[in-house]
Amino acid sequence: MRFFNFCQISLPLVGFALLGWIAPRANAALLVGSYYNNSVLRYDEKTGEFIDDFVPSGSGGLKGSTGLTIGPDKNLYVSSILSGSIQRYDGKTGNFISTFVPSGSGGLDSPEDLVFGPDNNLYVTSINSRTSNNVLRYDGQTGAFINAFVPSGSGGLTAPFGLSFGSDGNLYVSSSLTDSVLRYNGQTGAFIDTFATEEKGSEPDGLSFGPDGNLYIANFRTNNILRYNGNTGAFIDTFVPSGSGGLNGPVKPIFGTDGNLYVSGLNSNNILRYDGKTGAFIDTFIPAGRGGLNGAGFLAFTEDSTVIPESRMGLAVLALGTVLGTSKVLSRKQKARS
């Protein structure tokens, strides 16, 4: 009778323990472009621990991984700056799907950043100063060229790098060689104004709108992150001071699910984390070279369904042995684990 009662109590517990062992946990992962080895690496978004080469080196012809974005189809789109193309990868596995935008399509030359707009089409900065200083638009489903959404040099655009759509539906583009951020009509691409002007020689690169609605700009030469009013473009403050936490060659600032700011340093080859409200340095979230990182570039957060075994696995196996006590069950369990 005691054994029967013990089984009644224990079997449900075993079930819960096993469920904790085999059930996958959906964790948001941080994707990092590793420029010099032509890949995209995946890290745990809570710990910064390396998970895997999400997009292996050279997959699908990737050469010089720059801009990263998750599309409406939940797949990953990567700018391949050295091949002049946009590559598409499965958002869950990282497997190569297709060359979404072929080299040179619509005049694409040295693509940097990319983003899907409110119309679900793809916008890409084409940065080669000898042939293009524009933002090109492609069909979000087929990759077919639509138009030069921002014509070459419009509003003084020179060496366009980062881009982002604001809450007003307009497009914001960093003009690296004029040390400014330009604003364009989100429906027509017409130049509106010079939204923000920075210190001469700062070389603004990646930009992001924060949870507070303000604009955060990474300055590659002055090694800082500046914050501007998201409505007026008025300067607010130097959110991350020059060199804070060892920041060197910032490429892309992005806010994480924890509300903090993550910044990639190309020259320091790492990812640094800052308080999302104060800009104070928290830690080196991903140290230089972790997981083979070589040339930390653009960042993107995505959902990851990697199966992570829980520490309860050992307890589950022990409970099975105690309650069921048969070699057959243990044999099956051993096979399931192998």
Side-chain angles (χ1 to χ4, degrees):
M1 183 62 67
R2 289 180 182 179
F3 180 74
F4 174 75
N5 290 336
F6 177 73
C7 288
Q8 282 184 314
I9 296 171
S10 300
L11 284 175
L13 294 177
V14 172
F16 284 120
L18 285 174
L19 184 61
W21 170 40
I22 64 175
R25 291 186 288 141
N27 295 329
L30 176 59
L31 301 181
V32 182
S34 185
Y35 178 80
Y36 293 114
N37 57 13
N38 311 307
S39 62
V40 177
L41 308 183
R42 180 165 54 170
Y43 299 86
D44 187 285
E45 62 93 20
K46 292 183 178 179
T47 67
E49 290 300 319
F50 176 68
I51 297 175
D52 59 13
D53 290 336
F54 189 67
V55 176
S57 180
S59 174
L62 184 60
K63 294 182 180 180
S65 50
T66 48
L68 309 177
T69 193
I70 305 298
D73 59 1
K74 306 302 181 185
N75 290 317
L76 174 67
Y77 294 76
V78 184
S79 294
S80 179
I81 190 171
L82 299 182
S83 65
S85 61
I86 306 300
Q87 311 289 51
R88 178 169 54 174
Y89 301 90
D90 187 284
K92 292 183 178 180
T93 66
N95 291 336
F96 175 68
I97 297 176
S98 66
T99 296
F100 190 69
V101 177
S103 179
S105 174
L108 185 62
D109 194 349
S110 303
E112 279 282 2
D113 205 358
L114 72 172
V115 65
F116 281 88
D119 58 0
N120 284 335
N121 290 318
L122 182 66
Y123 295 76
V124 185
T125 51
S126 186
I127 199 173
N128 193 323
S129 59
R130 295 175 298 173
T131 58
S132 61
N133 284 284
N134 51 22
V135 178
L136 305 180
R137 177 166 58 169
Y138 300 90
D139 186 284
Q141 293 186 334
T142 67
F145 175 68
I146 297 177
N147 64 353
F149 187 73
V150 175
S152 185
S154 174
L157 185 62
T158 308
F161 192 95
L163 76 171
S164 180
F165 279 91
S167 60
D168 58 2
N170 292 318
L171 180 65
Y172 295 75
V173 186
S174 59
S175 180
S176 294
L177 296 187
T178 60
D179 302 311
S180 59
V181 174
L182 309 181
R183 178 167 54 173
Y184 299 89
N185 185 289
Q187 295 184 337
T188 68
F191 175 68
I192 297 177
D193 58 13
T194 297
F195 186 72
T197 301
E198 302 207 305
E199 176 186 352
K200 185 176 178 59
S202 58
E203 196 173 315
D205 283 353
L207 47 86
S208 296
F209 283 91
D212 58 2
N214 293 318
L215 183 64
Y216 295 76
I217 304 172
N219 292 293
F220 189 79
R221 296 298 178 188
T222 50
N223 300 312
N224 57 20
I225 308 294
L226 302 187
R227 177 167 55 171
Y228 294 83
N229 185 289
N231 294 317
T232 68
F235 175 72
I236 297 177
D237 58 12
T238 299
F239 189 70
V240 175
S242 181
S244 173
L247 185 61
N248 190 350
V251 175
K252 180 71 174 181
I254 186 171
F255 283 87
T257 55
D258 59 359
N260 291 318
L261 183 68
Y262 295 75
V263 184
S264 53
L266 181 66
N267 296 335
S268 52
N269 193 34
N270 56 12
I271 309 299
L272 306 180
R273 179 166 53 173
Y274 301 88
D275 187 284
K277 293 183 178 180
T278 67
F281 175 68
I282 297 177
D283 58 14
T284 299
F285 188 69
I286 299 175
R290 174 175 286 176
L293 184 61
N294 190 0
F298 285 79
L299 308 174
F301 282 98
T302 186
E303 287 299 314
D304 169 41
S305 59
T306 303
V307 176
I308 304 177
E310 299 283 2
S311 59
R312 288 172 292 177
M313 179 182 67
L315 293 175
V317 174
L318 180 60
L320 270 177
T322 302
V323 176
L324 301 177
T326 65
S327 60
K328 181 179 293 187
V329 172
L330 291 176
S331 176
R332 289 176 182 172
K333 185 64 183 174
Q334 187 63 34
K335 290 179 180 179
R337 294 179 60 193
S338 61

